[in-house]
Amino acid sequence: MTATDRSIELVNAAAQAAADRLAHDIIAYDVSDVLSITDAFLLASAPNDRQVKSIVDEIEERLQKELGAKPVRREGDRDARWILLDYVDIVVHVQHSEERVFYALERLWKDCPELPLPEDAVKTRGKAAEYAQSAGDGGERAGAFGDTDGELS
């Protein structure tokens, strides 16, 4: 089984919205063969809680406006370290960069096919490492995203 056209449409719109809000390291996986509850996961990250919220708000607004999709569940708003939007067809994970490194969702789903994303979203790969280095921490916290294949190092 593969992700439905609707799931791919949602993933692409969400990925573009995340890229427009300067999310880092956007990647999507077709998890339909291993999970019965959803077709795809979209992962994105940001260096601070405020930006995590901004990305999530933009994704939610864009999917509602353009595709008439509302999440059935939104979790993690209180701390804004990891916010999850469940659209049934897809699940969007927007994580603080530190949580993304710690939980390493890419490692869990690396055997699932990666879904193609809009060019703006693909260009975000490696941005967490660039941001970390420019922020002066030497890339140690977010440097694991330097690979462009979507896998943590």
Side-chain angles (χ1 to χ4, degrees):
M1 189 172 175
T2 59
T4 65
D5 291 341
R6 175 67 173 171
S7 298
I8 292 169
E9 181 180 40
L10 290 167
V11 162
N12 284 319
Q16 185 62 55
D20 290 349
R21 285 288 185 231
L22 307 177
H24 296 165
D25 302 302
I26 303 168
I27 192 165
Y29 294 102
D30 180 340
V31 296
S32 61
D33 282 342
V34 294
L35 290 177
S36 61
I37 58 170
T38 193
D39 283 346
F41 279 168
L42 179 72
L43 311 177
S45 55
N48 61 63
D49 305 350
R50 187 180 204 174
Q51 191 174 358
V52 167
K53 282 184 178 182
S54 175
I55 292 164
V56 168
D57 290 344
E58 181 66 19
I59 290 169
E60 196 169 6
E61 183 178 320
R62 183 95 47 102
L63 268 59
Q64 167 65 36
K65 185 177 176 182
E66 293 178 4
L67 302 172
K70 289 183 179 181
V72 295
R73 188 174 61 189
R74 179 175 171 155
E75 294 183 7
D77 276 327
R78 182 178 300 177
D79 295 329
R81 302 288 291 182
W82 180 350
I83 299 178
L84 179 142
L85 294 174
D86 183 351
Y87 286 90
V88 180
D89 294 322
I90 71 167
V91 176
V92 177
H93 300 266
V94 182
Q95 298 174 295
H96 189 288
S97 298
E98 292 172 357
E99 268 64 17
R100 181 117 179 232
V101 170
F102 183 79
Y103 289 102
L105 295 179
E106 286 87 349
R107 286 201 179 136
L108 292 174
W109 305 110
K110 70 181 178 185
D111 293 332
C112 294
E114 193 176 320
L115 292 170
L117 295 175
E119 186 177 332
D120 290 343
V122 173
K123 288 180 183 178
T124 68
R125 307 274 173 86
K127 292 292 183 186
E130 288 176 25
Y131 179 84
Q133 288 177 343
S134 69
D137 72 359
E140 292 173 19
R141 286 187 301 193
F145 295 106
D147 294 338
T148 57
D149 64 0
E151 222 177 286
L152 291 171
S153 12

mmCIF file of all heavy atoms in Angstrom, residues 13-34:
data_model
loop_
_atom_site.group_PDB
_atom_site.id
_atom_site.type_symbol
_atom_site.label_atom_id
_atom_site.label_comp_id
_atom_site.label_asym_id
_atom_site.label_seq_id
_atom_site.Cartn_x
_atom_site.Cartn_y
_atom_site.Cartn_z
ATOM 1 N N ALA A 13 1.427 20.496 0.864
ATOM 2 C CA ALA A 13 0.962 21.790 1.357
ATOM 3 C C ALA A 13 1.564 22.106 2.720
ATOM 4 O O ALA A 13 1.997 23.234 2.978
ATOM 5 C CB ALA A 13 -0.564 21.811 1.425
ATOM 6 N N ALA A 14 1.617 21.111 3.596
ATOM 7 C CA ALA A 14 2.199 21.310 4.924
ATOM 8 C C ALA A 14 3.694 21.589 4.837
ATOM 9 O O ALA A 14 4.220 22.447 5.546
ATOM 10 C CB ALA A 14 1.927 20.095 5.802
ATOM 11 N N ALA A 15 4.389 20.886 3.963
ATOM 12 C CA ALA A 15 5.831 21.090 3.796
ATOM 13 C C ALA A 15 6.118 22.491 3.264
ATOM 14 O O ALA A 15 7.050 23.158 3.726
ATOM 15 C CB ALA A 15 6.406 20.036 2.852
ATOM 16 N N GLN A 16 5.320 22.944 2.319
ATOM 17 C CA GLN A 16 5.515 24.299 1.787
ATOM 18 C C GLN A 16 5.240 25.345 2.857
ATOM 19 O O GLN A 16 5.989 26.309 3.002
ATOM 20 C CB GLN A 16 4.623 24.537 0.566
ATOM 21 C CG GLN A 16 4.869 25.879 -0.104
ATOM 22 C CD GLN A 16 6.279 26.005 -0.643
ATOM 23 O OE1 GLN A 16 6.740 25.175 -1.424
ATOM 24 N NE2 GLN A 16 6.996 27.055 -0.240
ATOM 25 N N ALA A 17 4.190 25.141 3.640
ATOM 26 C CA ALA A 17 3.878 26.069 4.730
ATOM 27 C C ALA A 17 5.020 26.119 5.741
ATOM 28 O O ALA A 17 5.413 27.193 6.203
ATOM 29 C CB ALA A 17 2.574 25.655 5.411
ATOM 30 N N ALA A 18 5.563 24.955 6.082
ATOM 31 C CA ALA A 18 6.685 24.901 7.028
ATOM 32 C C ALA A 18 7.911 25.616 6.455
ATOM 33 O O ALA A 18 8.583 26.372 7.166
ATOM 34 C CB ALA A 18 7.014 23.443 7.360
ATOM 35 N N ALA A 19 8.182 25.387 5.189
ATOM 36 C CA ALA A 19 9.326 26.049 4.547
ATOM 37 C C ALA A 19 9.130 27.561 4.526
ATOM 38 O O ALA A 19 10.083 28.321 4.748
ATOM 39 C CB ALA A 19 9.520 25.510 3.129
ATOM 40 N N ASP A 20 7.911 28.000 4.289
ATOM 41 C CA ASP A 20 7.617 29.434 4.270
ATOM 42 C C ASP A 20 7.832 30.082 5.628
ATOM 43 O O ASP A 20 8.098 31.275 5.712
ATOM 44 C CB ASP A 20 6.177 29.680 3.802
ATOM 45 C CG ASP A 20 5.978 29.365 2.321
ATOM 46 O OD1 ASP A 20 6.981 29.163 1.589
ATOM 47 O OD2 ASP A 20 4.794 29.304 1.897
ATOM 48 N N ARG A 21 7.729 29.304 6.689
ATOM 49 C CA ARG A 21 7.967 29.800 8.054
ATOM 50 C C ARG A 21 9.376 29.446 8.539
ATOM 51 O O ARG A 21 9.660 29.480 9.734
ATOM 52 C CB ARG A 21 6.936 29.246 9.028
ATOM 53 C CG ARG A 21 5.594 29.887 8.893
ATOM 54 C CD ARG A 21 5.623 31.311 9.436
ATOM 55 N NE ARG A 21 4.292 31.869 9.397
ATOM 56 C CZ ARG A 21 4.004 33.036 8.858
ATOM 57 N NH1 ARG A 21 4.955 33.769 8.351
ATOM 58 N NH2 ARG A 21 2.773 33.469 8.846
ATOM 59 N N LEU A 22 10.242 29.089 7.607
ATOM 60 C CA LEU A 22 11.669 28.861 7.869
ATOM 61 C C LEU A 22 11.957 27.654 8.748
ATOM 62 O O LEU A 22 12.897 27.656 9.553
ATOM 63 C CB LEU A 22 12.328 30.117 8.442
ATOM 64 C CG LEU A 22 12.133 31.398 7.619
ATOM 65 C CD1 LEU A 22 12.768 32.583 8.317
ATOM 66 C CD2 LEU A 22 12.666 31.241 6.203
ATOM 67 N N ALA A 23 11.150 26.615 8.608
ATOM 68 C CA ALA A 23 11.437 25.363 9.312
ATOM 69 C C ALA A 23 12.741 24.772 8.792
ATOM 70 O O ALA A 23 13.168 25.064 7.672
ATOM 71 C CB ALA A 23 10.294 24.371 9.090
ATOM 72 N N HIS A 24 13.350 23.959 9.604
ATOM 73 C CA HIS A 24 14.597 23.292 9.242
ATOM 74 C C HIS A 24 14.346 21.823 8.945
ATOM 75 O O HIS A 24 13.478 21.193 9.549
ATOM 76 C CB HIS A 24 15.600 23.366 10.396
ATOM 77 C CG HIS A 24 16.031 24.758 10.728
ATOM 78 N ND1 HIS A 24 16.675 25.050 11.902
ATOM 79 C CD2 HIS A 24 15.928 25.933 10.067
ATOM 80 C CE1 HIS A 24 16.962 26.338 11.950
ATOM 81 N NE2 HIS A 24 16.504 26.902 10.847
ATOM 82 N N ASP A 25 15.126 21.287 8.032
ATOM 83 C CA ASP A 25 15.216 19.841 7.801
ATOM 84 C C ASP A 25 13.860 19.159 7.612
ATOM 85 O O ASP A 25 13.542 18.172 8.290
ATOM 86 C CB ASP A 25 16.001 19.182 8.937
ATOM 87 C CG ASP A 25 17.393 19.784 9.054
ATOM 88 O OD1 ASP A 25 18.138 19.730 8.065
ATOM 89 O OD2 ASP A 25 17.720 20.331 10.121
ATOM 90 N N ILE A 26 13.081 19.673 6.690
ATOM 91 C CA ILE A 26 11.757 19.110 6.415
ATOM 92 C C ILE A 26 11.916 17.817 5.620
ATOM 93 O O ILE A 26 12.642 17.771 4.628
ATOM 94 C CB ILE A 26 10.886 20.116 5.632
ATOM 95 C CG1 ILE A 26 10.757 21.431 6.414
ATOM 96 C CG2 ILE A 26 9.516 19.509 5.323
ATOM 97 C CD1 ILE A 26 10.169 22.575 5.611
ATOM 98 N N ILE A 27 11.238 16.780 6.080
ATOM 99 C CA ILE A 27 11.282 15.485 5.413
ATOM 100 C C ILE A 27 9.949 14.775 5.642
ATOM 101 O O ILE A 27 9.296 14.992 6.663
ATOM 102 C CB ILE A 27 12.470 14.629 5.919
ATOM 103 C CG1 ILE A 27 12.682 13.412 5.034
ATOM 104 C CG2 ILE A 27 12.307 14.258 7.372
ATOM 105 C CD1 ILE A 27 14.019 12.733 5.239
ATOM 106 N N ALA A 28 9.552 13.958 4.689
ATOM 107 C CA ALA A 28 8.291 13.211 4.821
ATOM 108 C C ALA A 28 8.522 11.755 4.464
ATOM 109 O O ALA A 28 9.297 11.438 3.556
ATOM 110 C CB ALA A 28 7.223 13.813 3.912
ATOM 111 N N TYR A 29 7.829 10.882 5.179
ATOM 112 C CA TYR A 29 7.932 9.447 4.959
ATOM 113 C C TYR A 29 6.551 8.857 4.683
ATOM 114 O O TYR A 29 5.570 9.232 5.330
ATOM 115 C CB TYR A 29 8.519 8.745 6.193
ATOM 116 C CG TYR A 29 9.945 9.108 6.464
ATOM 117 C CD1 TYR A 29 10.272 10.017 7.460
ATOM 118 C CD2 TYR A 29 10.975 8.543 5.723
ATOM 119 C CE1 TYR A 29 11.588 10.350 7.712
ATOM 120 C CE2 TYR A 29 12.295 8.881 5.974
ATOM 121 C CZ TYR A 29 12.593 9.781 6.966
ATOM 122 O OH TYR A 29 13.897 10.123 7.216
ATOM 123 N N ASP A 30 6.512 7.922 3.764
ATOM 124 C CA ASP A 30 5.311 7.135 3.513
ATOM 125 C C ASP A 30 5.352 5.966 4.496
ATOM 126 O O ASP A 30 6.144 5.040 4.333
ATOM 127 C CB ASP A 30 5.313 6.631 2.066
ATOM 128 C CG ASP A 30 4.091 5.810 1.718
ATOM 129 O OD1 ASP A 30 3.417 5.301 2.634
ATOM 130 O OD2 ASP A 30 3.822 5.653 0.514
ATOM 131 N N VAL A 31 4.510 6.025 5.503
ATOM 132 C CA VAL A 31 4.496 5.001 6.549
ATOM 133 C C VAL A 31 3.294 4.063 6.401
ATOM 134 O O VAL A 31 2.997 3.275 7.299
ATOM 135 C CB VAL A 31 4.518 5.630 7.966
ATOM 136 C CG1 VAL A 31 5.807 6.401 8.202
ATOM 137 C CG2 VAL A 31 3.306 6.518 8.200
ATOM 138 N N SER A 32 2.620 4.139 5.262
ATOM 139 C CA SER A 32 1.372 3.381 5.062
ATOM 140 C C SER A 32 1.570 1.867 5.095
ATOM 141 O O SER A 32 0.640 1.142 5.439
ATOM 142 C CB SER A 32 0.702 3.796 3.753
ATOM 143 O OG SER A 32 1.548 3.526 2.652
ATOM 144 N N ASP A 33 2.761 1.398 4.757
ATOM 145 C CA ASP A 33 3.002 -0.048 4.783
ATOM 146 C C ASP A 33 3.239 -0.591 6.192
ATOM 147 O O ASP A 33 3.065 -1.780 6.434
ATOM 148 C CB ASP A 33 4.208 -0.417 3.911
ATOM 149 C CG ASP A 33 3.863 -0.426 2.433
ATOM 150 O OD1 ASP A 33 2.669 -0.489 2.091
ATOM 151 O OD2 ASP A 33 4.806 -0.365 1.613
ATOM 152 N N VAL A 34 3.631 0.277 7.109
ATOM 153 C CA VAL A 34 3.959 -0.191 8.465
ATOM 154 C C VAL A 34 2.984 0.278 9.538
ATOM 155 O O VAL A 34 2.989 -0.252 10.644
ATOM 156 C CB VAL A 34 5.404 0.196 8.865
ATOM 157 C CG1 VAL A 34 6.420 -0.534 8.006
ATOM 158 C CG2 VAL A 34 5.619 1.686 8.800
#
